[in-house]
Amino acid sequence: MTRRRDPANLAVIAAAVTMLLWASSFVVIRAVGEHFSPGVMALGRLLVGTAVLLLLALRHRRRIPRGRPLALVAGYGVLWFGAYTVILNWAERHLDAGTASLLVNFAPIIVAVLAGLFFGEGFPRPLVVGMAIAFTGVVIIAVGGTGGGTNDVLGIGLGLVTAVLYASGVLMQKAALRTVDSVTATWVGCAAGMLATLPFAPVGVGELADAPVSAVLGVVYLGVGPTAIAFTTWAYALTRTDAGKLAATSLVVPALAIGLSWLTLGEVPTVFGFVGGALCLTGVAISRRRPRARPAPPDVLDPASPVRAAD
């Protein structure tokens, strides 16, 4: 007899896959950025991602939504897939991979607050405590630095803009997923972002001709892994959990990105990076916990209880 998998566990696995792939994207963007401009890299990534997602949508016979759902999907696609990707690529010309991931992940704070206010998700204690601990970790890493030595004011400003775009995209996507399935929402959103970056195509022809094979493969990886796969698993998890709680989980990305950039790019983290990363992981673990249900009073559990009889 085959045991049915718990949807909650599958959502956790999907979120974990997303976080690992997104963390790797910061490192790959940093490496590929030497050969492709921000807009061209975004266009190439989204072209590959759209192609892969379209094949998935055709296999499952997904239809393009209409009306308000289509507007929401297209809107978050332009903001998150399009504008976010271009500006992140630009930011990583001025920031090391670890710092870029930290600035982007201010977004969960924005998402959690707005989701609690407008989506009725509230502010359960584990989420608030976990976010506070993880945010403290982010601040410690930001203050201590990650060892890249390339950060400047423009890069920090661009990183904060990506955080705003990320938060806006998550909230619009959450609204769209009420009526659109995760596969359709992901591929249509990616296609919308790709169309928004088409003006970079003429420049991309020349850059593609001069780029080494390794850089081209890096862009292909960004399209398949951090885009097609990661956004699909993200949407799957988002339909099965609160936006605020899932966004809090993404605070683990900076810790992963710092470790990967250290191993592959030689951007050695400081002691602050290690301490802050540990706090990020701890905060995420706490935010995923469910609040304990308080036991009901004896008179509610049993009308004939001694406490009730004495009244």
Side-chain angles (χ1 to χ4, degrees), residues 286-311:
I286 293 175
S287 71
R288 298 290 307 181
R289 294 178 59 186
R290 296 180 179 179
R292 293 183 179 180
R294 295 183 179 181
D299 58 332
V300 173
L301 294 174
D302 182 6
S305 65
V307 175
R308 181 63 176 263
D311 290 341

Side-chain angles (χ1 to χ4, degrees), residues 31-202:
V32 175
E34 299 179 2
H35 307 284
F36 290 108
S37 59
V40 172
M41 192 196 313
L43 174 59
R45 172 179 180 172
L46 295 175
L47 277 170
V48 174
T50 300
V52 174
L53 290 166
L54 179 58
L55 292 176
L56 181 62
L58 290 174
R59 179 182 178 183
H60 293 277
R61 299 181 179 180
R62 305 298 187 186
R63 296 182 178 180
I64 298 177
R66 298 180 180 181
R68 183 174 181 272
L70 176 59
L72 285 171
V73 173
Y76 94 76
V78 171
L79 287 176
W80 199 358
F81 284 93
Y84 166 89
T85 304
V86 173
I87 295 177
L88 175 61
N89 295 344
W90 186 10
E92 288 208 49
R93 290 192 161 200
H94 301 269
L95 302 171
D96 60 78
T99 302
S101 66
L102 288 169
L103 292 171
V104 169
N105 278 278
F106 276 107
I109 307 297
I110 303 172
V111 172
V113 172
L114 295 180
L117 292 174
F118 301 110
F119 282 81
E121 295 182 2
F123 300 92
R125 182 175 296 179
L127 175 61
V128 174
V129 173
M131 291 286 286
I133 294 175
F135 184 72
T136 300
V138 169
V139 172
I140 289 176
I141 301 175
V143 171
T146 56
T150 61
N151 304 332
D152 58 30
V153 176
L154 176 59
I156 293 174
L158 292 171
L160 293 176
V161 171
T162 62
V164 175
L165 293 170
Y166 171 12
S168 302
V170 169
L171 294 173
M172 291 184 70
Q173 185 186 37
K174 181 68 174 179
L177 288 172
R178 292 174 177 174
T179 54
V180 181
D181 66 272
S182 59
V183 173
T184 302
T186 305
W187 89 261
V188 174
C190 187
M194 181 269 294
L195 292 174
T197 57
L198 274 180
F200 297 105

Side-chain angles (χ1 to χ4, degrees), residues 257-270:
I258 288 171
L260 290 172
S261 65
W262 179 20
L263 293 174
T264 59
L265 302 178
E267 295 176 346
V268 184
T270 64

